[in-house]
Amino acid sequence: MTAVAHTPTTAHHEPMSFWRKYIFSTDHKIIGIQFLFVSLFFLLVGGLLAMQIRWQLGFPGKPLPGGGILPETMVVNGVILPEYYVQLVSMHGTFMVFFAIMPLLVGVYANFLIPLKIGAHDMAFPRINMASFWLALLAGLVMTASFFVPNGPIRSGWTNYAPLAARPDLSGVTVGQMLWCVSIVVLGLSSVLGSLNYITTVINHRAPGMTWFRMPLSVWALFITAILGVLALPVLQGAAIMLLFDNVLGTHFFDPVAGGQALLWQHLFWFFGHPEVYILILPAMGMVSDIIANGSRKPIFGYHSMVFAIIGIAFLGWIVWGHHMFMSGMNPTLGSTFMVSTLLIAVPSAIKVFNWLGTMWRGNLRFHVPMLNAIGFVSMFTIGGLSGIFMAATPVDIPLHDTQFIVAHIHYVLFGGSLFALFAAITYWYPKMFGRMMSHRIGKVHFWLTFVFYNMTFFPMHIIGMGGQMRRIYDPTIYDFLKPQQPLNVFISYSAFALFAVQVLFAFNFLWSLKFGKKAPQNPWDDNGMEWSLPNPAPHGNWERTPNVYRGPYEFSAPEAGDKDFLPQFVKLPTDRDPVPAPLPATH
Amino acid sequence: MRWWLPDAGSTFAGPIDTLFLAILIITGIALAVVEVGLVTFVIKYRARPGRKAFYTHGSTRAEVIWTAIPAVTMVALGLISNHYWVLIKDKKSIPPNAYHVGVHAKQFEWQVTYPGPDGKLGTSDDFTVRNQLHVTVNEPIAVELTSEDVIHSFFVPEFRLKQDAVPGMHIMAWFQATKTGEFELGCAELCGMGHYKMRARVFVHTPDQYKAWVAQQAAGGSE
Amino acid sequence: MTGRIFSVVGGMFLLTVCSKGSQSSAAPAAPPAPAAVENAAAGGTITGTIKFTGVAPKNPPIDMSEEAACKAKYKTTPTEENVVAGPANALANVFVYVKAGVPAGQTFTAPTTAVVLDQDGCRYHPHVLGIMVGQPLEILNTDPVLHNIKAIAKANRPFNVSQPSAGMKTTRAFTAPEVMVNLECNVHGWMHAYAGVRPDPFFAVSAANGSFTISGLPPGTYTIEAWHEKFGTQTATVTIAGTESKTQNFTFAAR
């Protein structure tokens, strides 16, 4: 590989100031790293909120340890107040969905990986890319500010259903609701700008030889996710603006008091919301595909099927939103149609799971930390996906809707799925980001402990949901029929505390390795992606000259590789010919 | 400690619980295939010196099989489910002789209006009780759901009955209780800080018990 | 372009945060700085008895079966307190106050002792209360169940707080005169209380025997209003000279 200067420079090779290099950077890699630090912080915030929720559910009415530091509007004599409890569940969901998982998957990895993996120097619009990060950070700060305003943050769930969310006199929330709406609109703008970049870059900036069907599945997934984002986020923005107007301008979009429609919010929110949950899983699936192929030393099984499955999931994802509304009072016939589309979306997901299994079948499995987490993803996403079938069957949704069964499902796909995929991805591309390796030993201990405590926390929620425990209730023991299940709530809470505590290992590993991790070799995982042709960390502008691509992304154990069990996309064999350069030059 | 769905208390519970069990078996098999497959592969195909992975890009036949089987299963599940869905939720499925009861949801109570001795809802002998639903066993009951303020949800676990009450809408739900006794009703849609306290008791009476209760209420008693 | 985005978003942010003003949390609002401190101990007095004519409507019984902890506190069935009648048609829970006549510019310091509103047996005690602007209202929960106290007010900022267990205490204060602020519990729909908020100490609530006393009045001509939650309002004019005591009765027509 050509030697590249280690000091990141501009295209004109002038040294950059610290501010231009690391803070107001237009380099997609720095922007990805900025998203990483900010999002991991919000992941921590979301986790702290969850700990308080579990405290109240496990030990209703008992004083919260350390609760004394919280104001009297939230906690009285250490006891969490009901209004604070519903704020906790609302903001846990809001922070985790919008400011942790989505930016971790998209803000970090779409930014970091796409140009590297397709052989581009940077994104199509580097300055818009920078704006996308700063808007996301601003949105996060606005959302955080809602904790510090009179009456505090929203109390209507992360789904923020109207009319409760539209009526301060009924919710008790004033400024906090406005901040939620403003934050969402700003975050939506950040997402849309990011998506525009990802889509344009993938279409126009692929290096010569990087045909569509030679792109790694991580890039396919991120590309399709970007299309989902650019179409879905504006719907949420519109709904949030309407909700803001109901709150401050005296409109009644969602309040039947003066001609509005309560269900309108749900239709708008879930028309965004369902594509959103595919935004939250597809990039994870894509990256897991790359990692499993690597760990198995085998090509991905059924690459084309995998691509069509991603597209199928994304397409079907637009016509299932009503499955969140089976009990809402909408016409039951609509329920039937949404049931059909929802059951069908299980099929491409199943295809993916079987193909991951097929990839591991007859492989030569290396259990590095990313592979462990990727296998964990497959096993737990399967549980999460299968639990969805219960809710998709509308009669069975009747007892299960709005119970802890749904909460179990959500967390199996978002934590068991997306977050494990993120543990894998963060570890896998850490050397490319920071030039060092995370500790294998700590990574393995973290994986196993997390896997065990994770299942102990979330599997029992299926059972208490079947038993009828509703969502977002402050004290289950109010109900006689829930009292017998309270021991499970206690068990879940203890498991959750342990699960949270174990994440200290990951945080330590991440932070400590920045300075003291083993210096990374250029291609530590013996991987095939274009990014591994560059030094660690990769320099500004990536390649001095646009690289050529000679083959598909998963040529592990190919006969042409000879002794080695991998054959990168950028390696030119004597039998290879240089690809014809693309019509549009892929340089800036 | 409860490990399963609540005891069956209405005619809906049979079909719903059976469907639940069927899905549990289907998904259980799928889960077993995947997890056993995963564990088997992890053990059998772990890297050892001198081994090489089997170089293949896939199998179209495998793709067809594991696309077709889930697809057929899902379609069948959908057809069976829809049959019961229509039976439970379609307005036309409400038996014409159903006994009507009005349930008006409000932050944070259930106001239940009974038709009174004349058996007709909406007449002057109607009376309203807070947080108590009294019905007769083995008789179809039609619940006319309304809401005063925000979205609430009428949920009786033993009846396998759940329906949102939406302000601005008048929604019908129905059920037929199959055993006498006392049950609980909870709110299943976040409606404010008192959401968890929106509890009502449900009393399923014999026909005589119910008539006696109605007479007592009409006379102004409150015990 | 980034700068324009920031300024628009920042402007929206400031607009929303600053639009509604701020409400303090649990701590009571500071009372208005007094221009002159009035000694209300000396001064004239208005006393009277409040009765009603006709037949008072029956107070509906309250079924507390769904709140066993509250029901257990009663030996006989509790009733709502719409009309609390005493011997010889005396009317309790009438809020009597000086509507007009206090010299303009005169300010009064609110006492720092709180008016206590207790939730006991799923009922408010007292049912009708008088309180000065800036005086602390201490809301106590003596019941081991959730109550929320929702204050519905026009001149004052509404509030809605919950007290899920016994022993909880929340303090609020009102910043503007208002007759009356409605207080209710949404978990127990029969629970209602009324607070008359006044800028001066010249108010009273009639007792079980219908009697009330307003004292400490400087000499002058006053318009007195009597407010009842069911029977409406009545006014009268009373002139006080020196430190005399004047009698003013009210009679409401039952309806």
Side-chain angles (χ1 to χ4, degrees):
Chain A
M1 317 308 131
T2 46
V4 182
H6 282 279
T7 310
T9 59
T10 62
H12 304 288
H13 300 283
E14 281 156 20
M16 278 190 288
S17 73
F18 172 84
W19 289 94
R20 273 289 274 129
K21 210 200 292 182
Y22 293 117
I23 309 297
F24 295 107
S25 170
T26 56
D27 185 324
H28 71 99
K29 300 185 293 300
I30 302 294
I31 293 171
I33 293 172
Q34 288 174 318
F35 266 111
L36 183 60
F37 279 98
V38 172
S39 307
L40 285 176
F41 169 75
F42 281 118
L43 187 67
L44 172 66
V45 170
L48 288 169
L49 298 175
M51 290 301 102
Q52 296 172 69
I53 295 169
R54 280 319 318 174
W55 177 267
Q56 172 61 25
L57 278 181
F59 317 103
K62 292 264 175 352
L64 176 71
I69 57 169
L70 293 170
E72 219 189 70
T73 45
M74 296 177 179
V75 163
V76 170
N77 301 331
V79 177
I80 293 174
L81 288 176
E83 49 265 53
Y84 181 50
Y85 180 77
V86 290
Q87 288 173 319
L88 284 170
V89 300
S90 306
M91 295 310 279
H92 167 75
T94 299
F95 275 122
M96 286 305 207
V97 169
F98 293 112
F99 297 101
I101 303 293
M102 186 162 81
L104 278 170
L105 286 170
V106 182
V108 179
Y109 289 102
N111 267 308
F112 193 81
L113 292 181
I114 289 178
L116 284 176
K117 280 187 160 293
I118 62 175
H121 294 283
D122 205 309
M123 288 287 182
F125 310 113
R127 273 173 303 214
I128 290 184
N129 210 22
M130 180 175 81
S132 171
F133 167 72
W134 289 102
L135 286 171
L137 178 62
L138 175 67
L141 293 172
V142 170
M143 191 60 83
T144 309
S146 66
F147 271 99
F148 300 98
V149 297
N151 296 320
I154 59 165
R155 299 177 184 181
S156 16
W158 81 277
T159 49
N160 217 16
Y161 277 13
L164 181 64
R167 295 272 301 269
D169 58 320
L170 297 176
S171 66
V173 180
T174 48
V175 183
Q177 184 66 248
M178 306 171 202
L179 292 179
W180 189 92
C181 295
V182 168
S183 169
I184 290 295
V185 171
V186 174
L187 185 74
L189 182 60
S190 161
S191 272
V192 165
L193 292 180
S195 290
L196 293 175
N197 247 319
Y198 313 144
I199 296 169
T200 311
T201 307
V202 169
I203 294 177
N204 279 354
H205 288 241
R206 283 168 290 120
M210 180 61 77
T211 60
W212 284 96
F213 286 113
R214 281 182 177 174
M215 290 201 315
L217 288 171
S218 51
V219 178
W220 265 111
L222 289 162
F223 173 70
I224 299 294
T225 299
I227 297 176
L228 287 178
V230 79
L231 295 174
L233 267 303
V235 176
L236 180 65
Q237 290 176 296
I241 292 172
M242 289 159 75
L243 184 62
L244 181 65
F245 285 179
D246 269 19
N247 268 275
V248 297
L249 286 186
T251 56
H252 295 276
F253 289 108
F254 304 116
D255 188 359
V257 149
Q261 294 258 359
L263 290 188
L264 177 62
W265 171 265
Q266 290 181 53
H267 282 293
L268 289 172
F269 183 85
W270 287 118
F271 187 79
F272 147 80
H274 202 85
E276 167 70 7
V277 309
Y278 290 114
I279 291 174
L280 298 174
I281 197 68
L282 286 175
M285 289 174 158
M287 294 192 288
V288 157
S289 292
D290 286 7
I291 293 170
I292 288 188
N294 175 284
S296 305
R297 317 310 294 161
K298 264 185 78 196
I300 260 285
F301 197 95
Y303 171 87
H304 286 83
S305 297
M306 290 294 249
V307 172
F308 293 129
I310 293 174
I311 295 172
I313 290 172
F315 175 74
L316 282 172
W318 288 105
I319 54 173
V320 299
W321 84 87
H323 69 224
H324 302 273
M325 296 171 63
F326 284 148
M327 305 299 133
S328 68
M330 74 176 176
N331 190 323
T333 310
L334 277 178
S336 303
T337 59
F338 282 118
M339 167 166 67
V340 169
S341 49
T342 304
L343 287 171
L344 285 179
I345 210 167
V347 177
S349 306
I351 291 173
K352 294 193 80 69
V353 171
F354 292 129
N355 274 302
W356 286 315
L357 284 173
T359 306
M360 290 171 67
W361 169 72
R362 294 186 69 179
N364 198 27
L365 308 179
R366 290 187 190 176
F367 297 115
H368 48 59
V369 172
M371 180 64 164
L372 286 175
N373 282 285
I375 296 174
F377 167 94
V378 175
S379 88
M380 282 177 287
F381 172 76
T382 301
I383 297 178
L386 289 173
S387 68
I389 294 177
F390 290 84
M391 294 116 58
T394 42
V396 179
D397 190 47
I398 297 175
L400 297 179
H401 173 71
D402 223 83
T403 64
Q404 294 287 104
F405 195 93
I406 312 290
V407 179
H409 166 75
I410 296 171
H411 287 88
Y412 262 89
V413 285
L414 278 176
F415 189 143
S418 306
L419 195 54
F420 272 88
L422 281 166
F423 291 143
I426 291 174
T427 310
Y428 199 73
W429 281 289
Y430 193 92
K432 199 95 242 131
M433 284 184 175
F434 304 113
R436 292 180 186 269
M437 305 295 290
M438 287 174 74
S439 155
H440 297 308
R441 220 173 300 153
I442 299 179
K444 290 193 174 172
V445 173
H446 168 259
F447 166 74
W448 284 112
L449 288 177
T450 300
F451 187 80
V452 167
F453 286 125
Y454 166 82
N455 280 293
M456 285 167 65
T457 304
F458 292 105
F459 197 83
M461 286 186 189
H462 292 106
I463 297 171
I464 59 178
M466 281 162 62
Q469 179 169 330
M470 295 80 86
R471 286 177 77 169
R472 301 153 169 174
I473 56 172
Y474 170 80
D475 183 357
T477 60
I478 294 285
Y479 295 91
D480 291 336
F481 76 95
L482 292 181
K483 282 200 185 98
Q485 289 181 156
Q486 191 59 16
L488 262 187
N489 265 316
V490 177
F491 176 80
I492 291 172
S493 291
Y494 281 128
S495 306
F497 300 150
L499 178 64
F500 184 77
V502 162
Q503 302 318 303
V504 167
L505 290 173
F506 181 81
F508 174 79
N509 197 359
F510 181 85
L511 293 170
W512 182 87
S513 305
L514 287 173
K515 252 283 127 106
F516 303 109
K518 196 171 64 164
K519 271 221 147 71
Q522 179 151 326
N523 191 353
W525 313 109
D526 292 335
D527 193 49
N528 293 332
M530 296 300 293
E531 70 269 32
W532 306 107
S533 70
L534 295 168
N536 292 334
H540 182 61
N542 301 340
W543 296 270
E544 267 192 17
R545 276 182 24 238
T546 306
N548 283 328
V549 180
Y550 297 99
R551 63 186 57 76
Y554 300 119
E555 293 306 294
F556 296 99
S557 304
E560 302 85 61
D563 287 343
K564 296 224 197 95
D565 65 354
F566 68 105
L567 187 52
Q569 294 187 273
F570 50 82
V571 163
K572 184 177 180 182
L573 294 175
T575 45
D576 288 323
R577 255 177 309 171
D578 280 342
V580 178
L584 285 167
T587 56
H588 58 227
Chain B
M1 184 57 232
R2 171 141 221 122
W3 297 100
W4 195 247
L5 296 161
D7 292 335
S10 81
T11 52
F12 296 154
I16 288 177
D17 291 7
T18 308
L19 201 50
F20 183 94
L21 192 60
I23 296 174
L24 185 62
I25 292 171
I26 295 170
T27 54
I29 293 171
L31 185 65
V33 165
V34 171
E35 305 292 359
V36 168
L38 217 46
V39 172
T40 310
F41 294 173
V42 157
I43 298 172
K44 191 166 175 194
Y45 301 115
R46 66 195 188 283
R48 270 152 290 161
R51 275 191 81 242
K52 225 181 179 203
F54 173 55
Y55 179 72
T56 175
H57 283 101
S59 152
T60 311
R61 204 175 74 148
E63 302 290 343
V64 170
I65 292 174
W66 61 47
T67 304
I69 295 179
V72 166
T73 314
M74 292 299 109
V75 170
L77 190 57
L79 289 170
I80 299 169
S81 298
N82 197 54
H83 170 75
Y84 290 108
W85 175 246
V86 171
L87 210 69
I88 296 170
K89 289 284 183 175
D90 196 337
K91 220 166 170 178
K92 294 190 215 77
S93 300
I94 302 176
N97 65 331
Y99 184 83
H100 283 243
V101 157
V103 172
H104 187 65
K106 172 179 189 297
Q107 282 182 330
F108 299 107
E109 64 187 14
W110 301 96
Q111 295 176 347
V112 188
T113 303
Y114 296 89
D118 74 349
K120 274 218 238 343
L121 198 62
T123 55
S124 56
D125 68 348
D126 293 357
F127 58 92
T128 304
V129 178
R130 271 195 186 97
N131 292 333
Q132 283 186 11
L133 176 63
H134 292 256
V135 297
T136 311
V137 73
N138 297 326
E139 185 181 295
I141 312 289
V143 179
E144 304 196 15
L145 276 169
T146 50
S147 170
E148 175 79 18
D149 39 33
V150 299
I151 300 178
H152 301 269
S153 192
F154 182 86
F155 177 40
V156 185
E158 275 91 347
F159 296 169
R160 310 292 188 269
L161 176 63
K162 182 178 288 135
Q163 177 55 55
D164 285 4
V166 183
M169 289 175 76
H170 180 261
I171 301 172
M172 303 285 293
W174 80 279
F175 67 93
Q176 180 165 319
T178 49
K179 55 179 190 177
T180 55
E182 196 180 303
F183 308 98
E184 281 169 295
L185 164 73
C187 179
E189 186 56 59
L190 178 58
C191 56
M193 68 166 92
H195 168 60
Y196 75 104
K197 219 25 192 115
M198 256 182 90
R199 171 186 177 266
R201 277 189 299 167
V202 182
F203 299 89
V204 182
H205 299 289
T206 62
D208 289 331
Q209 288 172 334
Y210 184 75
K211 271 204 210 71
W213 178 79
V214 170
Q216 181 208 63
Q217 290 296 312
S222 69
E223 261 11 74
Chain C
M1 190 216 147
T2 317
R4 233 175 281 151
I5 295 172
F6 284 162
S7 52
V8 166
V9 170
M12 282 176 72
F13 174 61
L14 289 172
L15 203 74
T16 52
V17 169
C18 299
S19 63
K20 283 243 164 170
S22 62
Q23 178 199 343
S24 60
S25 53
V37 177
E38 258 312 299
N39 182 359
T45 308
I46 303 177
T47 63
T49 309
I50 309 189
K51 288 184 190 295
F52 65 93
T53 58
V55 179
K58 227 175 75 160
N59 288 321
I62 306 173
D63 181 358
M64 290 194 190
S65 309
E66 296 316 302
E67 199 64 271
C70 281
K71 187 170 180 176
K73 293 188 177 182
Y74 296 94
K75 289 200 188 59
T76 55
T77 309
T79 60
E80 301 196 27
E81 294 164 291
N82 305 333
V83 178
V84 178
N89 276 12
L91 193 58
N93 286 341
V94 176
F95 182 70
V96 188
Y97 68 104
V98 168
K99 192 167 181 176
V102 177
Q106 214 160 55
T107 53
F108 302 87
T109 331
T112 49
T113 38
V115 172
V116 176
L117 180 66
D118 187 17
Q119 296 152 111
D120 190 7
C122 290
R123 283 230 282 236
Y124 288 115
H125 301 274
H127 179 61
V128 177
L129 61 94
I131 189 170
M132 278 187 71
V133 169
Q135 184 176 11
L137 175 69
E138 193 177 88
I139 308 169
L140 194 59
N141 188 3
T142 304
D143 290 327
V145 301
L146 170 76
H147 289 297
N148 73 298
I149 308 94
K150 185 171 179 178
I152 301 165
K154 289 198 187 61
N156 283 281
R157 185 174 287 279
F159 62 80
N160 192 348
V161 293
S162 77
Q163 294 180 323
S165 52
M168 289 193 153
K169 210 185 296 187
T170 307
T171 310
R172 285 284 184 279
F174 297 103
T175 52
E178 190 163 349
V179 173
M180 307 284 279
V181 172
N182 286 22
L183 298 158
E184 65 183 32
C185 174
N186 299 117
V187 185
H188 309 100
W190 60 82
M191 283 175 72
H192 289 280
Y194 301 91
V197 187
R198 298 301 301 153
D200 53 60
F202 308 128
F203 54 80
V205 179
S206 65
N209 62 2
S211 69
F212 71 91
T213 304
I214 298 174
S215 50
L217 288 158
T221 304
Y222 296 102
T223 310
I224 313 290
E225 181 164 277
W227 172 96
H228 184 262
E229 68 183 87
K230 268 255 138 26
F231 296 159
T233 55
Q234 299 222 342
T235 48
T237 312
V238 179
T239 308
I240 301 281
T243 57
E244 63 179 329
S245 177
K246 276 261 176 81
T247 304
Q248 176 64 53
N249 295 329
F250 290 93
T251 307
F252 286 88
R255 53 180 167 142

